[in-house]
């Protein structure tokens, strides 16, 4: 909500009075004077007018979770265990996923109660690379590299994938970095060569790498430094 609208909705204020209060420096957000009427007020912000708190913010939460196999990336599911089921019930409230992993894929998954933040990370324009460790049934041949870099045509969507960077690690393993997250994208890319993916593990999202100390199913809060590293612009 815009800051001027929040103030104008208070008892004893209208739009003109709200703008006057802002202009006179009588409005604070998280302890700092804000005079911009269009300032976006999120649920986590504490807002005061003339020293009186009019909105008590609640804590924003940002978690990294080591997703194990055999659970769905969803907040609820009638048939399967979800990633939220890995957390104590008292800690699940208002959390949602910033990105997804397939049922049997593993690795870094981000959870938050901050919709603005998750939108920044997942919007197509963010171009935030995701790094995966991949194992396959058949050998990964050297020419995969140039094909992935050029992009693959997905007939179902009628589009060509953006360039993806493949680094061979062994005869049947590789690192793959891509900036999209289309349905079963990694499996479909290797499927172009009739090569089945047998293991898919997300190692990193942008500069954020999965904490090696987190066992499958474990989670922890992101540090301030990790949060700062993930800042990307919000479109629209």
């Amino acid at each position: 909500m815009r800051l001027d609208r929040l103030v104008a909705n208070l008892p004893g204020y209208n739009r003109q009075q709200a703008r006057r209060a802002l202009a006179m420096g009588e409005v604070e957000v998280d302890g700092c004077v804000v005079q911009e009427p269009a300032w976006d007020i999120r649920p986590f912000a504490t807002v005061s007018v003339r020293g009186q708190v009019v909105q008590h913010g609640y804590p924003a939460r940002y978690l990294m979770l080591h997703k194990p196999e055999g659970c769905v990336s969803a907040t609820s599911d009638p048939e399967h265990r979800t990633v939220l089921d890995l957390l104590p019930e008292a800690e699940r409230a208002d959390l949602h996923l910033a990105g997804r992993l397939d049922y049997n894929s593993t690795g870094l998954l981000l959870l938050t109660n901050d919709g603005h933040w998750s939108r920044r990370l997942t919007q197509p324009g963010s171009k935030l690379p995701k790094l995966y460790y991949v194992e396959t049934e058949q050998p990964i041949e050297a020419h995969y590299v140039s094909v992935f870099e050029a992009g693959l045509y997905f007939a179902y969507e009628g589009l060509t994938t953006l360039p993806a960077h493949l680094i061979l690690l062994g005869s049947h393993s590789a690192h793959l970095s891509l900036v999209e997250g289309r349905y079963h994208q990694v499996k479909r890319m290797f499927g172009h060569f009739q090569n089945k993916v047998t293991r898919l593990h997300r190692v990193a999202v942008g500069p954020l790498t999965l904490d090696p100390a987190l066992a499958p199913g474990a989670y922890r809060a992101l540090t301030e430094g990790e949060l700062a590293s993930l800042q990307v612009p919000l479109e629209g």
Side-chain angles (χ1 to χ4, degrees):
M1 178 183 291
R2 286 171 55 113
L3 181 55
D4 59 349
R5 184 174 302 171
L6 183 149
V7 177
N9 287 337
L10 297 174
Y13 285 86
N14 56 32
R15 181 173 297 180
Q16 183 177 6
Q17 291 167 325
R19 286 181 174 263
R20 184 182 298 117
L22 285 163
M24 296 180 66
E26 296 175 345
V27 181
E28 294 186 358
V29 179
D30 294 330
C32 298
V33 172
V34 176
Q35 296 178 290
E36 173 55 53
W39 191 275
D40 185 26
I41 297 300
R42 298 159 67 192
F44 317 109
T46 297
V47 181
S48 61
V49 180
R50 295 181 179 174
Q52 180 180 355
V53 175
V54 297
Q55 174 178 296
H56 290 277
Y58 59 85
R61 302 178 65 202
Y62 309 94
L63 308 176
M64 73 160 60
L65 178 138
H66 186 165
K67 180 190 175 297
E69 293 185 18
C71 62
V72 295
S73 295
T75 55
S76 63
D77 189 278
E79 299 180 6
H80 303 288
R81 180 178 64 157
T82 73
V83 291
L84 282 189
D85 292 329
L86 300 171
L87 279 66
E89 187 171 356
E91 297 192 32
R92 302 174 195 168
D94 300 322
L95 290 177
H96 63 271
L97 286 68
R100 297 177 181 275
L101 286 170
D102 296 340
Y103 183 73
N104 284 321
S105 298
T106 63
L108 176 60
L109 197 62
L110 298 173
L111 305 173
T112 185
N113 60 354
D114 185 346
H116 283 66
W117 185 77
S118 59
R119 181 184 165 195
R120 283 198 298 270
L121 295 188
T122 58
Q123 64 184 4
S126 73
K127 298 293 190 293
L128 197 65
K130 290 87 175 175
L131 179 65
Y132 296 88
Y133 171 76
V134 186
E135 292 181 358
T136 59
E137 193 170 76
Q138 304 298 325
I140 302 172
E141 300 180 12
H143 70 280
Y144 287 26
V145 175
S146 59
V147 174
F148 283 8
E149 189 69 35
L152 286 166
Y153 181 70
F154 283 178
Y156 182 78
E157 292 96 332
L159 56 81
T160 300
T161 61
L162 293 174
H165 187 48
L166 183 71
I167 300 175
L168 304 182
L169 300 175
S171 61
H172 293 69
S173 61
H175 275 150
L176 177 65
S177 177
L178 66 164
V179 295
E180 298 174 289
R182 303 192 180 280
Y183 181 70
H184 291 319
Q185 180 168 348
V186 175
K187 295 176 181 178
R188 293 165 68 193
M189 291 173 73
F190 281 92
H192 173 80
F193 303 100
Q194 288 77 52
N195 196 351
K196 181 180 179 181
V197 172
T198 57
R199 185 184 177 199
L200 183 61
H201 179 81
R202 184 151 65 198
V203 177
V205 173
L208 179 65
T209 301
L210 178 64
D211 188 338
L214 286 180
Y219 66 97
R220 68 163 173 80
L222 297 184
T223 67
E224 290 186 7
E226 288 169 339
L227 276 173
S229 73
L230 283 172
Q231 293 304 311
V232 292
L234 180 63
E235 292 185 344

